[in-house]
Amino acid sequence: MLKEFRLFKDLSPEENEKLLPYFRQSRFAKKQHIYFPGLGHDYIYLVRSGRVKVSYLSPEGKEITVTILQPGDMYSMHSEASTTVLEPAEIWYIEVNDFKEIVLQNPDLALNLIRILGRILKNTNDALLNLAFKEVNSRLATLLLKMAREKGTATGDGIAFKLDLTHEELAYLISSTRQTVTTILNRFEKNGIISMQKKKIIVKSMEKLQELC
């Protein structure tokens, strides 16, 4: 079961069975905030199913989304971030002290953890820089380019990747609206930069998309 999560993907069946008792599970409905009564902020949680929006609220009351967690992702609540479930989700969680013990007893996990934390930090920094210095067209182009580079596959028509996010969720990530995202995507398609299919986007010109960033 733990092998479903990126952090524990290299566990042996024996290690999996040994670590399972440390974890608890909870289910959340759409739009619920993730919270575990009695634990405060001293826990790490992993998304087994569903998606979770991680965002901050500015002093002016503006919500800034830094990432959307997918199944297999992990996060810690040692920050002022708000975490909101975007669709029914199953969350596994573990107390921080237990998590530290597991990592100390399994050094191989430390390497995976460093990679995951590095990716979380990079995604957060990228999101904040984009919001601070780029217009909405550029922010969406940057996001699409990042997705194409990270999970795209070369085809005869261009770089294709599965779009795991709705237009509304894309809007969260660039601090815009669903209507604006849809309008810009249609414009990109009309200009021959991308091609949109059901649950998939093909970047027909990485160069043109890069020019918009």
Side-chain angles (χ1 to χ4, degrees):
M1 297 287 282
L2 286 174
K3 289 174 70 69
E4 297 176 26
F5 305 110
R6 291 182 180 86
L7 177 61
F8 301 105
K9 61 184 178 64
D10 299 322
L11 283 183
S12 68
E14 294 76 20
E15 290 169 327
N16 182 83
E17 290 300 318
K18 181 180 177 181
L19 298 183
L20 271 177
Y22 285 97
F23 291 85
R24 286 172 277 181
Q25 299 88 40
S26 187
R27 292 184 179 273
F28 294 86
K30 183 177 179 178
K31 296 186 178 180
Q32 268 192 290
H33 291 287
I34 292 181
Y35 175 72
F36 304 114
L39 290 182
H41 292 291
D42 292 329
Y43 61 87
I44 305 292
Y45 73 84
L46 305 99
V47 181
R48 188 177 183 215
S49 64
R51 286 177 291 184
V52 177
K53 177 178 66 172
V54 180
S55 57
Y56 292 85
L57 199 63
S58 74
E60 296 77 23
K62 181 179 180 180
E63 184 182 39
I64 299 172
T65 298
V66 294
T67 192
I68 292 178
L69 303 176
Q70 305 281 348
D73 286 342
M74 66 171 288
Y75 210 76
S76 166
M77 291 307 295
H78 286 79
S79 71
E80 297 301 318
S82 171
T83 50
T84 308
V85 174
L86 296 175
E87 61 187 38
E90 180 180 338
I91 305 296
W92 288 34
Y93 58 101
I94 179 173
E95 293 187 30
V96 167
N97 288 337
D98 288 338
F99 184 75
K100 289 178 181 177
E101 182 179 336
I102 285 176
V103 173
L104 288 173
Q105 292 177 357
N106 299 270
D108 289 344
L109 290 181
L111 293 176
N112 282 345
L113 182 60
I114 290 170
R115 295 189 191 100
I116 290 170
L117 293 178
R119 182 171 58 85
I120 290 173
L121 181 60
K122 183 179 186 304
N123 286 343
T124 301
N125 287 342
D126 288 348
L128 295 177
L129 287 172
N130 284 341
L131 291 174
F133 299 112
K134 295 184 177 182
E135 298 296 329
V136 64
N137 264 32
S138 180
R139 295 202 296 266
L140 182 55
T142 299
L143 181 58
L144 294 178
L145 193 66
K146 180 175 183 288
M147 290 178 173
R149 286 172 172 167
E150 289 183 351
K151 56 182 183 179
T153 302
T155 70
D157 297 320
I159 306 298
F161 62 90
K162 183 180 178 183
L163 185 62
D164 296 319
L165 305 174
T166 66
H167 287 193
E168 183 176 23
E169 290 163 357
L170 288 173
Y172 290 146
L173 290 171
I174 63 170
S175 193
S176 185
T177 65
R178 180 185 59 79
Q179 294 88 341
T180 299
V181 165
T182 300
T183 298
I184 296 174
L185 287 175
N186 289 336
R187 187 187 307 145
F188 286 175
E189 186 168 39
K190 183 179 179 181
N191 292 337
I193 299 171
I194 66 171
S195 174
M196 293 187 292
Q197 301 176 12
K198 187 176 183 180
K199 293 294 183 181
K200 184 168 73 172
I201 286 182
I202 299 174
V203 179
K204 301 174 74 172
S205 175
M206 294 286 279
E207 292 79 12
K208 289 182 179 179
L209 194 60
Q210 176 70 63
E211 289 173 2
L212 294 171
C213 295

